[in-house]
Amino acid sequence: LEIDSAFRIIVNYSGLLYIVIGLWLVTALAYLLDYMTKKDKDISDYKESIGGGVRLAWLVIIFVIIGSGIFLLLDVNVNGNAERYGVISNYLLFNDEWGTHRGYIWRNAIESFHAFSPFKKLFGFGPDTFGIVLLDKTKGNVYGELFDNAHNEYLHYLITVGILGLAAYLTYLVSFVVRCIRRGCSNPCVIAAMMAVVCYSTQAFVNLNLPIATPIMWLMLTLGALGCSGNGQAKDVGN
């Protein structure tokens, strides 16, 4: 999906200039307050802190955004109110055209998985065989393309290594995040590594595991796990 749908909303909004000016003013004010707080203190004694009210407000904003996104997706795809949202509906309506034909790939992949035998559903068709699975099913498609990757890591693993393989991968990721929260929350380096893995795992819903990015994710995962090792205390991975 081309980005012009979002650009049409942003560029045509008359208050865009005032929003930009307001954000610059807020940024300048934040830096000014930060400078006023630090200038009379020894830098070695300064410790950055964020009040509980700010954290609570940020948490509320996150939940509002997530809740709004879920509502919009349900309203468009379940209730059929795509026309209500204009050009935004291009991002919300899941069909064959969604996400540069990702919807088409996903639909055919899911249909192929349903046709698998029980054994193949458990263990998959085999590593790196996604293109083979979809070759005949999508032959002569209207897009004139060959699909050798699901552009969704989890669906890709479901087809190639099956339910058990996908479950093992998800268990590994989830247990890593839980371990970091429980044993490494006092170490910002561990939390940073954990968030890098979380961000990668989120974008993996619509992307493939590129050689230039995936090894870095595994490196962050290793560093986070290392920081959580020892006698229940997070080590200083940053050093």
Side-chain angles (χ1 to χ4, degrees):
L1 182 64
E2 296 180 0
I3 200 171
D4 64 311
S5 296
F7 274 11
R8 267 182 267 165
I9 299 173
I10 297 172
V11 174
N12 294 332
Y13 180 61
S14 59
L16 178 62
L17 177 61
Y18 302 104
I19 292 177
V20 173
I21 293 175
L23 290 173
W24 275 112
L25 291 175
V26 169
T27 303
L29 179 62
Y31 273 96
L32 178 62
L33 293 175
D34 189 55
Y35 171 76
M36 297 297 292
T37 303
K38 289 181 180 179
K39 70 175 185 176
D40 296 327
K41 296 182 179 180
D42 188 342
I43 191 64
S44 61
D45 297 331
Y46 176 75
K47 183 178 181 180
E48 184 177 359
S49 62
I50 300 176
V54 176
R55 294 184 180 183
L56 179 61
W58 182 243
L59 186 63
V60 170
I61 291 174
I62 291 176
F63 277 106
V64 168
I65 292 174
I66 294 175
S68 300
I70 294 175
F71 170 78
L72 292 175
L73 290 173
L74 292 176
D75 195 36
V76 170
N77 294 281
V78 178
N79 298 331
N81 294 323
E83 70 285 348
R84 178 183 297 175
Y85 303 99
V87 293
I88 299 181
S89 63
N90 293 331
Y91 296 94
L92 302 174
L93 181 61
F94 287 101
N95 54 22
D96 284 356
E97 301 293 333
W98 187 88
T100 55
H101 316 150
R102 279 171 171 77
Y104 179 79
I105 303 172
W106 296 350
R107 178 176 62 80
N108 282 278
I110 294 173
E111 291 175 357
S112 298
F113 179 78
H114 284 312
F116 282 178
S117 66
F119 180 84
K120 285 186 176 179
K121 286 182 178 178
L122 284 177
F123 297 99
F125 202 83
D128 277 338
T129 58
F130 186 88
I132 298 175
V133 173
L134 260 66
L135 183 62
D136 290 334
K137 186 169 180 57
T138 60
K139 186 177 181 180
N141 63 82
V142 296
Y143 307 112
E145 299 175 357
L146 294 176
F147 307 107
D148 60 352
N149 195 291
H151 290 274
N152 180 321
E153 281 195 28
Y154 308 105
L155 180 58
H156 191 94
Y157 290 147
L158 181 65
I159 297 295
T160 56
V161 294
I163 295 174
L164 295 181
L166 176 61
Y169 180 64
L170 291 176
T171 300
Y172 187 48
L173 290 179
V174 172
S175 63
F176 166 75
V177 173
V178 172
R179 182 179 176 87
C180 287
I181 293 174
R182 287 181 176 177
R183 306 185 65 176
C185 60
S186 61
N187 189 337
C189 296
V190 171
I191 298 302
M194 182 200 75
M195 288 306 300
V197 174
V198 170
C199 289
Y200 177 90
S201 302
T202 301
Q203 63 82 40
F205 278 100
V206 292
N207 280 315
L208 62 160
N209 47 349
L210 293 171
I212 197 172
T214 307
I216 299 176
M217 185 276 285
W218 287 103
L219 177 61
M220 293 295 103
L221 196 150
T222 304
L223 290 174
L226 177 64
C228 293
S229 64
N231 298 323
Q233 298 294 328
K235 295 181 179 179
D236 190 358
V237 182
N239 292 332

